Amino acid sequence: DADVTQTPRNRITKTGKRIMLECSQTKGHDRMYWYRQDPGLGLQLIYYSFDVKDINKGEISDGYSVSRQAQAKFSLSLESAIPNQTALYFCATSDPRYGNTIYFGEGSWLTVV
Amino acid sequence: LAKTTQPISMDSYEGQEVNITCSHNNIATNDYITWYQQFPSQGPRFIIQGYKTKVTNEVASLFIPADRKSSTLSLPRVSLSDTAVYYCLVASMDMGRRALTFGSGTRLQVQP
C-alpha cells in the first residue's frame, strides 16, 4: 500500500462545480503539501501545513482551499472550478525529524470542462 | 531556500554516464542538497542527498565541491528508463516555517 494515498486518481468536472481532492498518509509525518503540475512544467506549491492547526498559502493558492482534518489527512478543494485549473495535483509529506525527504502521492488528474 | 539553477534539458545515449549540475550560490551552512527524479504522470521520488564531498548509493552519485556552491548528480550507464525530469533542492533539515518548493528541473532524454 502506498504511504501517501490520493483520491480520486482521475476526475472530470464542469466549470463552476466544487471539487475536493483527498490525501491521506501513513508515514506519521507532520508536514503535508499540495502541489500542482501543468503538462510539461514544474511543480507549483498550492498550500502547505505544518500540523493540524498550521496551514499556509503557497505560490498559487488563489481559487483553492484546504483542510487538515487530522495529522494523516489533508484535502484540497476547488470551490468553483475553472478550465485553467486542469492539471495533475500531487499531495506530499515530509518531516524534519526524518531528514525532510518529500514523499509524494501518485497524483490526481483533474480536468475541468 | 537557496535558489537553484539547472539546465532545462539534456540528451544522452544508453550506456553513457550523465552528469547534471545544479548551481546554488547562496547555500547556507546547514543546508543539504537533495535530488529527486520524476517520471511522467508520477510524483517525484527521492534519489540522493548529501552535504559535502561525495555520496553514492545504488542509483547515483552526488558530487559536492568544497565551496558547496554547486553539486553534480551523476547517473552511471543510463538506460532508456532513466528518461525523466531531475530536480535539485537545497534546504536545511530543520526548515523552520519554510516550505519546500521545486524549480523547473532538468529534463533528461535517453536515446537508444
Side-chain angles (χ1 to χ4, degrees), chain A residues 19-21 34 46-47 64-66 74-78 89:
Chain A
I19 180 78
M20 178 182 289
L21 306 179
W34 275 104
I46 307 172
Y47 270 95
Y64 302 93
S65 63
V66 292
F74 192 37
S75 61
L76 175 72
S77 294
L78 286 68
Y89 291 86

Side-chain angles (χ1 to χ4, degrees), chain A residues 3-4 23 25 27-35 45 48-51 68 71 74 91-105, chain B residues 36 49 89 91-96 98-102:
Chain A
D3 294 323
V4 183
C23 177
Q25 53 119 343
K27 299 194 72 66
H29 287 174
D30 287 336
R31 300 185 179 193
M32 297 188 74
Y33 310 82
W34 275 104
Y35 291 92
L45 181 63
Y48 57 104
S49 170
F50 290 140
D51 63 40
R68 184 83 183 265
Q71 187 206 35
F74 192 37
C91 175
T93 73
S94 75
D95 197 309
R97 295 173 297 175
Y98 309 115
N100 246 340
T101 299
I102 311 171
Y103 295 88
F104 284 82
Chain B
Y36 292 82
Q49 183 180 71
L89 264 72
S92 63
M93 290 297 184
D94 178 5
M95 289 293 297
R98 294 171 294 171
L100 294 164
T101 56
F102 287 76

Side-chain angles (χ1 to χ4, degrees), chain A residues 37 41-43 88 90, chain B residues 36-45 47 83-87:
Chain A
Q37 187 169 42
L41 299 180
L43 294 153
L88 181 56
F90 289 105
Chain B
Y36 292 82
Q37 175 190 55
Q38 185 182 25
F39 297 115
S41 300
Q42 296 183 25
R45 64 171 188 168
I47 301 176
T83 293
V85 178
Y86 294 83
Y87 296 95

